[in-house]
Amino acid sequence: MTSEIINLSIKAVRVERGLTQDAVAQKLGVTTKTYREWENGDVMPKPLTMYALAYIFKIDVDLLRLPNE
């Protein structure tokens, strides 16, 4: 899984939903810095975090993954 592609998806969905990085971070119980690192591709979110993100964004978790995985 390529972090750059996933993180771009996370950012795109967040922006589309009209959420700030801070708002998503608060919903996940992480710091804004941690969330920013995911969007920047510096750190990969854990698999359970991906499910939490999908829940927050109200999308299927598969939309946050590469098609060939």
Side-chain angles (χ1 to χ4, degrees):
M1 191 175 331
T2 305
S3 65
E4 183 178 335
I5 292 173
I6 288 177
N7 291 309
L8 288 174
S9 297
I10 291 169
K11 182 177 182 178
V13 175
R14 176 184 60 77
V15 170
E16 181 181 295
R17 298 290 188 258
L19 297 167
T20 64
Q21 289 180 339
D22 188 51
V24 177
Q26 286 181 0
K27 290 175 186 266
L28 291 170
V30 299
T31 66
T32 303
K33 178 182 182 271
T34 296
Y35 183 79
R36 189 178 317 114
E37 289 173 341
W38 296 337
E39 279 197 6
N40 291 338
D42 299 331
V43 177
M44 282 294 297
K46 294 179 181 177
L48 287 177
T49 303
M50 294 298 289
Y51 282 96
L53 284 165
Y55 179 80
I56 290 167
F57 296 148
K58 297 179 174 63
I59 61 172
D60 191 291
V61 72
D62 290 334
L63 297 176
L64 296 176
R65 296 185 182 187
L66 296 175
N68 59 352
E69 280 208 335

